[in-house]
């Protein structure tokens, strides 16, 4: 009788493990779905992404607490909605327009600057840093678990951490700095006052 109970418990554990594995997609599949959803604007939750952007500047702890709640409910740390990335790209476009006006860039210079800021500064460097730190974290920073569930850092989560860090930097470097940039006439007036 005891052996039958242990076999039933083993079968229940195996079936629950299969259900868990079907719920959790592989990392590469999640990446593919994330980047595929970039063109499906109707499925994006822009209101929640704007909430996250606001609270990254006001109270970042609430955003990271939200990541923890997502991990408890969906068994993943990363956002599955690319709305944050889309809004960040829009913010970069708006700030690039402001820089083009302040720096008096011609149209081709503005287009080069815009593509550089979005695809090199934000996405390209973000992909490189996220991939490098994802590899280092999974290779060297994981602890051995005694209960057999080996945890690893999701690549999309490391990319989300980059995006979360990039937004306040965008506010400082592309908004506050642009507002504080003196024009050439202001520099001359300041130089004359100091002399």
């Amino acid at each position: 009788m005891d052996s039958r109970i242990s076999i039933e418990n083993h079968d229940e554990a195996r079936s629950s493990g299969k259900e868990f594995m079907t719920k959790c997609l592989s990392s590469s599949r999640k990446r593919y779905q994330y980047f595929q959803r970039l063109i499906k604007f109707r499925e994006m939750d822009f209101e929640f992404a704007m909430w996250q952007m606001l609270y990254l500047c006001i109270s970042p702890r609430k955003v990271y607490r939200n990541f923890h709640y997502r991990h408890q409910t969906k068994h993943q740390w990363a956002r599955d909605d690319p709305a944050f990335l889309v809004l960040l790209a829009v913010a970069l476009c708006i700030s690039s327009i402001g820089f083009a006006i302040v720096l008096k860039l011609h149209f081709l210079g503005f287009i080069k600057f815009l593509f550089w800021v979005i695809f090199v500064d934000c996405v390209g460097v973000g992909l490189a840093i996220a991939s490098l730190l994802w590899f280092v974290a999974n290779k060297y920073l994981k602890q051995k678990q005694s209960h057999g569930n080996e945890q690893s850092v999701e690549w999309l989560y490391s990319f989300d951490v980059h995006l979360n860090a990039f937004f306040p930097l965008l506010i400082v470097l592309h908004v506050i700095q642009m507002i504080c940039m003196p024009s050439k006439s202001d520099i001359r007036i300041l130089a004359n006052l100091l002399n």
Side-chain angles (χ1 to χ4, degrees):
M1 183 120 185
D2 290 340
S3 64
R4 189 172 67 202
I5 292 173
S6 66
I7 290 172
E8 289 174 2
N9 290 341
H10 180 70
D11 289 339
E12 287 177 17
R14 185 185 305 166
S15 66
S16 66
K18 286 181 183 178
E19 289 173 14
F20 179 76
M21 292 306 288
T22 56
K23 287 180 185 176
C24 296
L25 299 171
S26 70
S27 180
S28 60
R29 177 84 173 141
K30 286 180 185 178
R31 271 192 305 253
Y32 175 75
Q33 284 182 339
Y34 181 84
F35 288 114
Q36 188 179 26
R37 288 186 66 188
L38 274 172
I39 57 173
K40 298 178 183 177
F41 292 105
R42 292 185 181 194
E43 295 179 11
M44 293 184 197
D45 188 3
F46 289 108
E47 183 178 349
F48 182 64
M50 288 173 55
W51 175 88
Q52 287 181 330
M53 288 180 160
L54 175 68
Y55 277 94
L56 277 172
C57 296
I58 296 172
S59 176
R61 180 179 290 173
K62 288 185 180 184
V63 177
Y64 285 98
R65 193 177 307 142
N66 182 268
F67 275 90
H68 181 70
Y69 295 152
R70 182 181 309 111
H71 182 261
Q72 289 178 336
T73 57
K74 293 186 176 183
H75 301 291
Q76 72 178 30
W77 288 98
R79 293 182 186 102
D80 54 358
D81 185 15
F84 189 90
L85 179 61
V86 171
L87 287 179
L88 185 62
V90 169
L92 286 169
C93 288
I94 293 169
S95 68
S96 296
I97 290 170
F99 263 107
I101 292 169
V102 169
L103 298 175
K104 297 179 177 72
L105 296 176
H106 52 87
F107 184 72
L108 186 60
F110 161 69
I111 296 297
K112 286 180 185 178
F113 180 70
L114 177 68
F115 278 105
W116 181 268
V117 166
I118 291 176
F119 294 111
V120 175
D121 282 350
C122 182
V123 177
V125 171
L127 291 173
I129 290 173
S131 298
L132 176 70
L133 294 179
W134 168 77
F135 174 77
V136 168
N138 285 329
K139 183 76 173 174
Y140 301 109
L141 300 178
K142 287 192 311 187
Q143 293 180 350
K144 302 289 186 209
Q145 301 290 331
S146 62
H147 56 283
N149 289 342
E150 186 173 314
Q151 295 185 356
S152 62
V153 176
E154 302 169 18
W155 182 87
L156 276 175
Y157 179 67
S158 59
F159 188 65
D160 280 345
V161 169
H162 160 72
L163 294 178
N164 289 347
F166 193 86
F167 183 70
L169 183 70
L170 166 75
I171 299 298
V172 171
L173 293 180
H174 283 234
V175 177
I176 296 173
Q177 179 185 2
M178 183 174 48
I179 292 170
C180 295
M181 285 181 74
S183 66
K184 291 180 183 178
S185 61
D186 292 340
I187 293 173
R188 285 188 201 132
I189 292 171
L190 184 65
N192 289 334
L193 288 175
L194 293 176
N195 284 332

